[in-house]
Amino acid sequence: ATPADAGGPVAMGPAATTAATRALQSIKRNKTVYNTFSATIDLAVFKDYEAKVGGAPLDLKQLENRHRRGLYKNDLRAWVRDARRVAGNCLRYADDPRVPQLRDEAKKYLKMVDKQIDEVRRGAVLDGVPPAAADRAAPRLLKNWEKVLVALEDAVYAGGAPTPPPAPPAGAIFLHPYASYFLPGAADANIADYEQAIDEPVCVGDVVARLAEGAYASLDGVKKDVDLMFANAIKYYGPAGSGRRFNDAPSCDDYTATARRLAGLWNKRAGALS
């Protein structure tokens, strides 16, 4: 069996590479989308960016440069991931649906790039990659990914009853990785305690990124992660949770009550998606 047959990385052959090059050229012709997502993120200005998105910035110019230098030639999956991550990072950071401009552009970009990824996938098959391996390297998004995202926005971000800015979204405490809610170097003991108490941390941003990058094969995967997110909050801030050593009881009670309420809203929205 070849590495691709065995589930290993899929190299980008000539047809896939050409399709990827054309994909980037096609995106570049849409000036509004390209200008939005080719701009460099200034970390001196957006100091919380890396903490909120769980990694370094990625823009279209970086993607083009890496592609041109052949950095993806041995891993088609990495090209597909990064092409989609441009949108996923935006959706993670521009976290308030009440201010929808950037989120709408990210959704538009994701739809655009996904059509191009179909061509890249077909190119891989023309290069001799088995169809199943091409599907693993360039996984398809859920057919109803936009509806899933709207369900998350309605249930978790807005909590079923959106309040106007500048009041924080109802689900603000669930949007980003736990450590991102503290200044660098602050509350280190608190963060270490959370990491020890919670085996598998997950936030809304993680779910959105996985949704945007094609990591979910079905809605069940989304539901599992969202359920885990709320279960983690209830465990950590509940009556026996170690989070009570760092937060007062009323706050912990409020966190757990919010988790249960938003979980109920999410389950209703998710039930309508099935």
Side-chain angles (χ1 to χ4, degrees), residues 2-208:
T2 67
D5 290 327
V10 172
M12 294 184 73
T17 300
T18 297
T21 300
R22 288 175 177 168
L24 294 172
Q25 291 170 343
S26 177
I27 293 168
K28 199 167 187 175
R29 285 194 290 272
N30 188 311
K31 297 299 184 184
T32 300
V33 170
Y34 184 77
N35 289 341
T36 299
F37 295 106
S38 63
T40 301
I41 302 296
D42 187 347
L43 295 178
V45 176
F46 301 100
K47 296 179 180 180
D48 58 349
Y49 186 89
E50 290 181 307
K52 283 188 173 182
V53 305
L58 179 64
D59 58 60
L60 281 173
K61 286 183 180 177
Q62 289 174 292
L63 181 66
E64 289 174 311
N65 184 47
R66 292 175 186 179
H67 178 69
R68 189 165 47 247
R69 291 165 58 198
L71 299 185
Y72 297 110
K73 66 180 180 180
N74 295 319
D75 194 349
L76 171 60
R77 180 71 184 96
W79 186 93
V80 172
R81 178 202 64 213
D82 284 358
R84 288 170 168 165
R85 185 165 290 178
V86 171
N89 281 357
C90 178
L91 290 168
R92 290 189 76 154
Y93 190 75
D95 57 16
D96 194 340
R98 300 169 301 178
V99 186
Q101 289 84 354
L102 271 177
R103 295 182 66 82
D104 288 347
E105 287 298 320
K107 294 172 188 177
K108 184 188 301 183
Y109 166 82
L110 192 55
K111 285 188 278 189
M112 183 186 306
V113 80
D114 210 47
K115 289 181 180 178
Q116 301 300 328
I117 287 171
D118 287 342
E119 297 301 319
V120 175
R121 189 186 302 109
R122 281 191 276 270
V125 173
L126 288 175
D127 287 327
V129 175
D135 285 342
R136 285 195 302 272
R140 289 170 171 81
L141 298 181
L142 296 183
K143 289 183 178 180
N144 60 347
W145 68 266
E146 284 188 273
K147 292 182 178 179
V148 175
L149 191 52
V150 169
L152 283 168
E153 290 173 349
D154 289 347
V156 184
Y157 289 84
T163 55
I173 64 170
F174 301 103
L175 299 184
H176 304 293
Y178 185 77
S180 72
Y181 292 94
F182 304 96
L183 293 173
D188 287 345
N190 190 335
I191 294 169
D193 181 75
Y194 186 86
E195 292 173 347
Q196 184 174 5
I198 301 301
D199 295 330
E200 190 178 348
V202 63
C203 64
V204 173
D206 294 328
V207 176
V208 169

Side-chain angles (χ1 to χ4, degrees), residues 246-266:
F246 300 94
N247 301 271
D248 60 75
S251 295
C252 290
D253 291 341
D254 182 61
Y255 295 154
T256 55
T258 299
R260 291 190 173 95
R261 183 174 70 84
L262 298 186
L265 288 169
W266 159 252

Side-chain angles (χ1 to χ4, degrees), residues 140 142 214-221:
R140 289 170 171 81
L142 296 183
Y216 294 120
S218 70
L219 181 60
D220 288 341

